[in-house]
Each structure stands twice: as structure tokens, then as C-alpha cells.
Amino acid sequence: MLELARAQVPEAQFVLGDMRHLSFSPNEFDAVTAYFSLLMLSRADMAALLTEVRAWLRRGGLLSFSLVEFDADSVEVEFMGTTFQASGYTEAQLPAVLEHAGYEVVSLRTVDHAPIEGPSEAQVFCLARPLENR
């Protein structure tokens, strides 16, 4: 994936690493995205990372992420023949999770995804910004 990304945007900087252990300077980014990667974390690790990301964002910066909608913490899930631990929240739970991490929700939307094979799933897409009084 990094090779494909670098080929598409050669002037960008891409980092390979465990998201729980990345370190960036405060106010370094205008935006941070995480599409279907946070679900690989426990809820405790997700909360810690959301708080850390808040510090990386500049004033007015945005966090954009998505999760599969389900209410669970570190449960065993099978996806494409691989079993792993996954966590999630419902759309109704996310505003409180984000507020606790220091964000305000800009938009929150759940859509049903129906793959060609397999069951459909609800996917939550969120856009949030750090609270100004942080």
C-alpha cells in the first residue's frame, strides 16, 4: 500500500508504523485520517490514540475516521480468512467517546455496506475537530 501511495503522491511523506506508538510534534497536521484501522485497537488504545492525535492537529484541524458499527471491545472477528481482535462503537456512542477525547463532532453518518459476497454491515463515518478550549 505504501508503494502505491508513494507512486500516486510522490511529494507526500508516508510513515509505516504501529499507530499506538507513533510520535509527532504538537500542531503538526491539518488533518488526520483513519479508515477502518482504529477497529484493530482495544477501546482503551483507541481512546489513548484519539487523545494523542488531538495534540497533533493544528487549530481548526480535522480528524476523519470510519469504523464498522458494533458495540464491542476486543472481540474475535474473522475477515477474509483471518481472525483478529476488533473493537467498535455504535453511532450513538461515538459523540461521548469523542467528547471525552477532546473533540466536537462535525458530522457523523452510518451507511449500510453490502459486499458482493458476505453479509452487509453498518459503517460509521465521522468527522471531528478538537475542542477549542483544550
Side-chain angles (χ1 to χ4, degrees), residues 28-33 53 56-58 61-64:
E28 189 162 340
F29 299 107
D30 291 315
V32 172
T33 61
V53 167
W56 302 341
L57 288 168
R58 293 184 182 115
L62 294 169
L63 168 65
S64 178

Side-chain angles (χ1 to χ4, degrees), residues 12-125:
Q13 176 187 359
F14 295 93
V15 177
L16 174 63
D18 184 329
M19 65 182 127
R20 296 170 299 172
H21 305 294
L22 293 174
S23 179
F24 297 102
S25 300
N27 304 307
E28 189 162 340
F29 299 107
D30 291 315
V32 172
T33 61
Y35 290 97
F36 302 106
S37 55
L38 296 178
L39 65 92
M40 306 292 288
L41 303 176
S42 68
R43 283 183 168 181
D45 283 344
M46 200 181 308
L49 183 63
L50 289 171
T51 300
E52 183 73 16
V53 167
R54 186 190 71 219
W56 302 341
L57 288 168
R58 293 184 182 115
R59 184 178 202 109
L62 294 169
L63 168 65
S64 178
F65 70 93
S66 59
L67 298 168
V68 175
E69 183 183 43
F70 69 112
D71 183 8
D73 186 14
S74 299
V75 297
E76 196 169 277
V77 173
E78 184 177 329
F79 179 70
M80 297 181 69
T82 301
T83 302
F84 60 93
Q85 299 291 314
S87 301
Y89 290 99
T90 65
E91 180 179 335
Q93 293 169 321
L94 276 173
V97 170
L98 288 163
E99 183 178 329
H100 187 268
Y103 294 89
E104 65 176 320
V105 174
V106 175
S107 69
L108 188 60
R109 181 174 170 211
T110 299
V111 298
D112 286 319
H113 172 67
I116 293 171
E117 295 181 22
S120 66
E121 65 184 18
Q123 299 176 346
V124 182
F125 293 84

